[in-house]
């Protein structure tokens, strides 16, 4: 009910003293109090009734009204039996805090107002429950078979005025909200909050606030797994489940509304299972090709299998695209609730990596029901392997070829949510090969992608990737240098400079970095650092004096370069 309805009820005899513009506020309950600070008993939306016994002088009105306003109270009704007329200082305080204020005639009992409000609110809640039951029935009869998740989410929008989206574990929008797309950064942030809350064991719906907007987040789990995964499956299911994001604050949801939204997630889970089943053929074909490549089958046999698989794996790309191989692995520090055997990480199995790699490889510009349905990834047991077809370029020269996949770009948009899902005990590592132009090159590309993934695994961080270009660089060697060798090497070269910088604020380390980055050019380095060349020469001389090295020699430059990279 609304405050306006109370004013229009003649039997209550309420007189409005201020706040006419706020009469459309909803009333969710009623409370009678004469405490100076009743905030601990307020949850928001109440009509507060008071006999003003808390008021000793005019200064008491301001703090009392401020507390009500901060607690989200709908309105204040003050009795006239104690003081006669409602004091002007209370009227003024309510005006300052935009708090609707009513005067209650001395002949009207607070019990009469309380009974009226409770009766009205209870009746409305009963009506809401009946409406929810009817909506639930309509949703069940208009499920995915009637048009997919968008039909269900459209009903939420039209019947409950709730904007909702179905998101992937990385925050990619799968369905929902009609012409109101969820910005990609918001989707990624919501997915990250959901994964973090799931890994922490919090019960849904999870509340998340992004850009000052509150959202309710609920998992959409496949019907095969059921609603509540076993404790040992939480880590894997968190990284593969869809989620329902509703633009609403779930803090005050009644049980009926929560039940309705959980029913929606079950309906969409059926669609999720249907899409997973549709990927089975693509996954099996990818598995067959990868097994042929791993076993060293003749290129002609691999090419023949690719020709058979072409209608499924290469829709619209022609018969002879370029290929890249992407390898991904998910590892945990140990099985759920137990330490890893042998002290090393426990491999989660390729199925988790398979689901994540299918998501990571989705083309952001792709259109259609679900672009992830076009990705084919094989599960080899301990890793996931994707054979990614790339369209041929538009010109006759190699330079005209279409762009290929880049490791860091693949992870840029998904690093935040996946890191939240991996929490502090999981890692995702990914390696990307160079593009090859024929089936003959696939075996080499697979080995190249696996080597790149090992380079990524040697790096710190929960989500790491490496590409083929790093296999022909010093960065391939650096991750495998033992930690004690790293520390000794960098300490011998850099510690004298760090100590000097701490004592004299001389910035020798930044100067060294800039000098090497400018290939030893005095002019370019001085310009970058905004120094006179003579000042730069003095600093470089000091570096050589402290370390006993000569920065005109290639060997010493290389040593400094590697030390800075390993520090």
């Amino acid at each position: 009910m609304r405050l306006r309805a109370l004013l229009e009820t003649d039997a209550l005899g309420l007189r409005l003293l201020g706040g006419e513009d706020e009469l459309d506020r909803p009333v969710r309950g009623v409370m009678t109090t004469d405490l100076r600070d009743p905030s601990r008993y307020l949850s928001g939306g109440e009509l507060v009734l008071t006999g003003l016994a808390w008021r000793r002088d005019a200064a008491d009105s301001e703090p009392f009204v401020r507390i009500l306003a901060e607690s989200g109270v709908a309105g204040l009704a003050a009795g006239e039996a104690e003081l006669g007329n409602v004091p002007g200082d209370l009227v003024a305080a309510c005006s300052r805090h935009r708090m609707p204020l009513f005067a209650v005639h001395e002949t009207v009992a607070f019990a009469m107002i309380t009974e009226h409000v409770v009766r009205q609110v209870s009746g409305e809640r009963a009506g809401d429950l009946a409406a929810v039951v009817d909506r639930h029935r309509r949703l069940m009869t208009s499920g995915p078979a009637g048009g997919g998740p968008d039909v269900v989410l459209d009903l939420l929008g039209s019947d409950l005025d709730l904007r909702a989206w179905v998101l992937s574990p990385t925050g990619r929008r799968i369905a929902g909200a009609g012409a109101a797309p969820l910005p990609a950064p918001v989707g990624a942030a919501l997915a990250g909050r959901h994964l973090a809350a799931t890994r922490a064991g919090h019960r849904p719906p999870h509340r998340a606030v992004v850009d000052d907007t509150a959202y309710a987040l609920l998992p959409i789990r496949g019907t095969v797994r059921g609603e509540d995964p076993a404790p040992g499956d939480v880590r894997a299911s968190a990284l593969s489940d869809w989620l329902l994001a509703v633009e609403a604050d779930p803090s005050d949801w009644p049980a009926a509304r929560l039940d309705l939204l959980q029913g929606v997630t079950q309906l969409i889970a059926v669609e999720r299972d249907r899409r997973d089943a549709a990927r089975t053929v693509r996954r099996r074909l990818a598995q067959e090709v990868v097994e042929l490549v791993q076993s060293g089958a003749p290129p002609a046999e691999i090419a023949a299998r690719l020709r058979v698989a072409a209608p499924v794996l290469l829709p619209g790309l022609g018969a002879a695209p370029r290929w890249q191989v992407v390898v991904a692995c998910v590892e945990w520090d140990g099985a759920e609730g137990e330490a890893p055997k042998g002290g090393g990480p426990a491999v989660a199995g390729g199925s988790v990596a398979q689901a994540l790699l299918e998501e990571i490889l989705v083309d952001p510009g792709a259109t259609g029901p679900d672009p992830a349905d076009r990705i084919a990834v094989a599960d080899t047991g301990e890793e996931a392997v994707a054979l990614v077809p790339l369209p041929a370029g538009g010109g006759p020269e190699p330079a005209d070829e279409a762009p290929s996949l880049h490791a860091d770009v693949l992870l840029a948009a998904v690093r935040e949510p996946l890191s939240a899902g991996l929490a502090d005990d999981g890692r995702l590592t990914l390696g990307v090969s160079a593009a090859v132009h024929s089936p003959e090159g696939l075996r080499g590309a697979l080995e190249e992608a696996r080597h790149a993934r090992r380079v990524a695994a040697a790096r710190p961080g929960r989500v790491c990737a490496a590409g083929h270009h790093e296999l022909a660089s010093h960065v391939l060697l650096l991750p495998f240098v033992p930690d004690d060798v790293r520390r000794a090497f960098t300490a011998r070269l850099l510690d004298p400079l760090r100590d000097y910088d701490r004592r004299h604020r001389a910035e020798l380390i930044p100067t060294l970095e800039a000098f090497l980055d400018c290939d030893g050019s005095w002019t370019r380095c001085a310009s970058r650092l905004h120094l006179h060349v003579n000042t730069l020469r003095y600093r470089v001389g000091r570096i050589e004096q402290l370390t006993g090295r000569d920065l005109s020699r290639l060997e010493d430059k290389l040593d400094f370069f590697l030390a800075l990279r390993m520090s």
Side-chain angles (χ1 to χ4, degrees):
M1 67 177 299
R2 307 282 174 176
L3 286 174
R4 190 180 303 280
L6 293 173
L7 193 63
E8 294 171 351
T9 304
D10 294 337
L12 299 181
L14 298 180
R15 190 170 75 256
L16 183 65
L17 300 181
E20 185 174 358
D21 294 338
E22 307 292 332
L23 292 180
D24 286 325
R25 290 185 181 183
V27 179
R28 299 188 179 92
V30 63
M31 177 193 177
T32 301
T33 184
D34 276 313
L35 295 174
R36 305 184 74 178
D37 182 2
S39 58
R40 73 185 69 179
Y41 305 108
L42 297 171
S43 58
E46 296 92 349
L47 173 69
V48 171
L49 306 175
T50 180
L52 301 178
W54 50 265
R55 181 183 179 278
R56 297 187 181 91
D57 55 46
D60 291 337
S61 293
E62 171 64 25
F64 181 78
V65 175
R66 184 177 65 252
I67 289 170
L68 299 187
E70 291 174 349
S71 300
V73 165
L76 174 64
E80 296 180 320
E82 184 73 20
L83 301 178
N85 293 329
V86 176
D89 49 86
L90 181 59
V91 176
C94 287
S95 176
R96 282 192 296 273
H97 291 279
R98 301 176 63 86
M99 177 65 61
L101 176 62
F102 302 91
V104 182
H105 194 270
E106 60 182 5
T107 60
V108 178
F110 283 174
M112 180 187 299
I113 300 175
T114 300
E115 181 183 356
H116 177 82
V117 171
V118 170
R119 186 168 58 248
Q120 293 296 318
V121 171
S122 299
E124 289 177 0
R125 286 176 178 166
D128 285 345
L129 180 58
V132 164
V133 171
D134 180 63
R135 291 184 186 110
H136 204 166
R137 177 187 59 77
R138 292 172 58 192
L139 288 171
M140 294 299 292
T141 57
S142 304
D150 281 306
V151 172
V152 179
L153 301 184
D154 285 347
L155 276 175
L156 285 180
S158 61
D159 281 18
L160 292 180
D161 196 27
L162 290 176
R163 294 206 304 170
W165 299 264
V166 176
L167 305 179
S168 75
T170 63
R172 178 178 60 86
R173 188 182 75 88
I174 295 171
L182 195 68
V186 176
L190 292 176
R193 308 283 178 83
H194 172 75
L195 288 170
T198 300
R199 288 301 313 275
H202 299 156
R203 293 187 63 84
H206 308 308
R207 182 180 184 274
V209 178
V210 178
D211 294 340
D212 298 324
T213 301
Y215 297 87
L217 309 176
L218 298 97
I220 299 173
R221 299 190 172 111
T223 56
V224 175
R225 287 191 297 273
E227 291 187 21
D228 296 308
D233 298 329
V234 169
R235 296 190 295 194
S237 65
L239 288 169
S240 56
D241 289 334
W242 289 356
L243 68 134
L244 178 67
V246 183
E247 190 178 274
D249 192 332
S251 303
D252 58 352
W253 275 3
R257 174 163 291 194
L258 179 58
D259 180 64
L260 173 68
L261 270 298
Q262 288 174 338
V264 168
T265 65
Q266 293 169 15
L267 287 173
I268 298 175
V270 175
E271 174 70 4
R272 166 70 188 275
D273 289 341
R274 185 192 67 76
R275 296 193 186 189
D276 280 346
R279 294 181 190 174
T280 302
V281 174
R282 297 179 60 79
R283 288 172 172 173
R284 186 176 68 248
L285 290 172
Q287 193 87 19
E288 292 174 357
V289 175
V290 169
E291 287 174 358
L292 288 174
V293 172
Q294 288 187 130
S295 64
E301 186 177 351
I302 298 174
R305 172 53 61 186
L306 285 173
R307 283 195 296 272
V308 172
V312 178
L313 295 180
L314 314 176
L317 292 180
R322 297 178 302 141
W323 296 88
Q324 273 185 283
V325 177
V326 182
V327 174
C329 184
V330 173
E331 297 173 319
W332 308 111
D333 288 344
E336 187 83 356
E338 64 182 41
K341 297 178 180 179
V347 179
S351 59
V352 179
Q354 182 184 43
L356 289 180
L357 193 50
E358 287 175 336
E359 181 64 30
I360 290 169
L361 291 174
V362 171
D363 181 1
T367 58
D370 188 355
D373 289 342
R374 307 175 186 178
I375 309 300
V377 181
D379 173 5
T380 67
E382 293 189 350
E383 63 185 9
V385 179
L387 303 178
V388 183
L390 302 173
E397 300 297 328
D400 296 325
E401 291 180 335
S404 57
L405 302 176
H406 192 280
D408 290 332
V409 174
L410 284 176
L411 295 182
V414 302
R415 193 181 302 275
E416 176 187 350
L418 291 186
S419 296
L422 293 162
D424 57 357
D425 59 354
R427 295 196 74 207
L428 168 67
T429 53
L430 184 144
V432 182
S433 77
V436 296
H437 294 76
S438 65
E440 289 84 351
L442 284 177
R443 186 172 185 183
L446 177 58
E447 290 305 313
E448 191 173 56
R450 284 175 169 160
H451 282 307
R453 193 203 65 77
R454 294 189 191 103
V455 171
R459 294 172 173 168
R462 291 294 164 190
V463 181
C464 298
H468 61 90
H469 58 284
E470 299 181 62
L471 301 182
S473 167
H474 66 279
V475 297
L476 175 61
L477 303 176
L478 294 185
F480 301 102
V481 176
D483 288 342
D484 56 341
V485 176
R486 282 171 174 259
R487 287 191 292 269
F489 182 74
T490 57
R492 189 177 301 115
L493 281 174
L494 301 183
D495 279 2
L497 307 182
R498 290 175 178 142
D499 292 341
Y500 191 88
D501 281 348
R502 276 194 296 268
R503 293 196 308 269
H504 303 284
R505 299 181 181 179
E507 298 186 351
L508 295 185
I509 292 289
T511 300
L512 176 61
E513 291 174 333
F515 186 72
L516 295 175
D517 194 44
C518 292
D519 299 322
S521 169
W522 298 98
T523 304
R524 283 194 289 125
C525 183
S527 176
R528 174 182 293 190
L529 296 175
H530 306 289
L531 298 175
H532 191 277
V533 172
N534 289 341
T535 303
L536 176 61
R537 290 185 183 276
Y538 171 80
R539 288 188 183 181
V540 170
R542 179 63 67 183
I543 292 171
E544 293 173 335
Q545 180 185 23
L546 291 170
T547 60
R549 299 299 185 106
D550 183 355
L551 277 169
S552 66
R553 299 179 66 239
L554 176 62
E555 293 87 347
D556 287 344
K557 286 180 182 177
L558 179 59
D559 284 346
F560 278 121
F561 176 79
L562 292 175
L564 289 169
R565 282 300 182 95
M566 289 191 294
S567 62

